[in-house]
Amino acid sequence: NAGVTQTPKFQVLKTGQSMTLQCAQDMNHNSMYWYRQDPGMGLRLIYYSASEGTTDKGEVPNGYNVSRLNKREFSLRLESAAPSQTSVYFCASILFHTLGGRYNEQFFGPGTRLTVL
Amino acid sequence: ELKVEQNPLFLSMQEGKNYTIYCNYSTTSDRLYWYRQDPGKSLESLFVLLSNGAVKQEGRLMASLDTKARLSTLHITAAVHDLSATYFCAVSKVGGSEKLVFGKGTKLTVNP
C-alpha cells in the first residue's frame, strides 16, 4: 500500500499560470480532502469530497477547483495562480471504521510545496 | 464557527522535564485529533479522542479530552530530543463529514 500519494512534490509557477495538483489513495477510502498549510496558520481546509461524485467547499476555497475523478483520485486545480497561493498543500483521506483501534483517522499525503512568483 | 486554540505556540524545554500542551475549541465536536509534524514532512496521527474523559497514551505522550470544558491536553513526560516537532490538535465538526479545523500548532524544542 502506498497510502496517500501526491504529485508533484515541488512546483514553481508564475502569477497567472494554471496547474493541477494530483492526489491518489489506494486504501479504498470514501472521503478525501485538500488542505493548505501556511506558516503560523495550521492547516486550513480548501475542499473536500465525502464520496465519489461529490465535492464541497471548505474554509478557503476561493481560487481553487477540485475534481473527484473516481474513488481513488482527487485533484486540486489553480486556474490562475496568485502569490497568495504560495503554500504547502496536503491531501488526506479518511477511514470511516474501526481498524486496529483507529477510528475515523485521516491519513495525509507527503505534501506539495508550491511557490507562485 | 468552530475555532481551535492551542497554547503555547512555542515551547522550549529540557530533556527529562514534563510539560503540557493545551487545546481549546469553541463548539461541540465529534472527535479530537492530535498530530505530529517534523520539519518538511507530512502529518503523523498520534491520537484520536472520541468521548468525554478519553485518555490515550503512547510512550512519553498522553492525551486527554474534557468535552464539557472543550479542552484537550497533550502531556509530555520526561521529554527527549526525539520529541522535538510541531504538534497540532484538530477538531471535527458534528455531523460535518470529518472536516477538520486545526489549531496553529505548538513548536516543541527539547534541548539536551
Side-chain angles (χ1 to χ4, degrees):
Chain A
N1 274 356
V4 181
T5 58
Q6 292 182 235
T7 55
K9 287 187 167 50
F10 301 93
Q11 184 71 49
V12 179
L13 294 177
K14 294 181 180 177
T15 297
Q17 287 186 314
S18 63
M19 78 160 296
T20 299
L21 282 65
Q22 306 286 354
C23 173
Q25 52 90 10
D26 61 359
M27 297 174 283
N28 202 34
H29 291 174
N30 287 325
S31 297
M32 298 182 72
Y33 307 79
W34 276 106
Y35 294 90
R36 62 178 286 174
Q37 183 178 29
D38 301 298
M41 295 291 292
L43 277 76
R44 292 180 292 169
L45 182 65
I46 305 171
Y47 270 93
Y48 70 101
S49 170
S51 60
E52 185 179 353
T54 68
T55 62
D56 209 343
K57 295 177 181 179
E59 184 184 351
V60 288
N62 291 347
Y64 305 95
N65 285 302
V66 291
S67 294
R68 183 74 182 269
L69 304 170
N70 47 55
K71 193 172 186 180
R72 290 187 64 249
E73 297 171 293
F74 188 37
S75 62
L76 178 72
R77 182 160 178 86
L78 287 72
E79 291 291 352
S80 178
S84 61
Q85 295 178 304
T86 293
S87 188
V88 181
Y89 291 85
F90 287 100
C91 177
S93 68
I94 192 163
L95 176 65
F96 269 113
H97 58 83
T98 303
L99 179 66
R102 299 290 194 183
Y103 181 83
N104 284 9
E105 179 183 1
Q106 285 205 358
F107 292 84
F108 283 81
T112 294
R113 190 173 295 272
L114 175 67
T115 302
V116 183
L117 303 175
Chain B
E1 182 188 350
L2 176 57
K3 296 194 178 204
V4 180
E5 287 191 6
Q6 274 182 251
N7 66 82
L9 297 182
F10 299 92
L11 177 56
S12 180
M13 55 192 298
Q14 286 188 312
E15 282 190 329
K17 299 292 186 182
N18 304 333
Y19 210 85
T20 301
I21 299 171
Y22 296 89
C23 176
N24 289 91
Y25 54 99
S26 59
T27 62
T28 304
S29 165
D30 278 342
R31 279 167 286 278
L32 190 135
Y33 299 77
W34 284 98
Y35 291 93
R36 168 182 171 143
Q37 186 180 39
D38 292 301
K41 303 292 186 182
S42 187
L43 278 76
E44 174 192 354
S45 177
L46 295 174
F47 303 108
V48 181
L49 301 171
L50 303 178
S51 59
N52 189 44
V55 177
K56 291 196 174 180
Q57 182 165 6
E58 187 157 336
R60 301 174 187 273
L61 300 178
M62 183 174 71
S64 65
L65 178 62
D66 181 343
T67 58
K68 293 178 183 177
R70 296 180 186 154
L71 170 68
S72 179
T73 60
L74 181 66
H75 187 71
I76 303 155
T77 301
V80 294
H81 180 69
D82 285 352
L83 290 179
S84 296
T86 299
Y87 293 85
F88 292 94
C89 66
V91 177
S92 68
K93 298 179 180 181
V94 174
S97 299
E98 218 64 15
K99 294 178 289 183
L100 296 186
V101 178
F102 281 80
K104 293 185 177 181
T106 297
K107 185 172 182 180
L108 172 66
T109 304
V110 181
N111 301 304

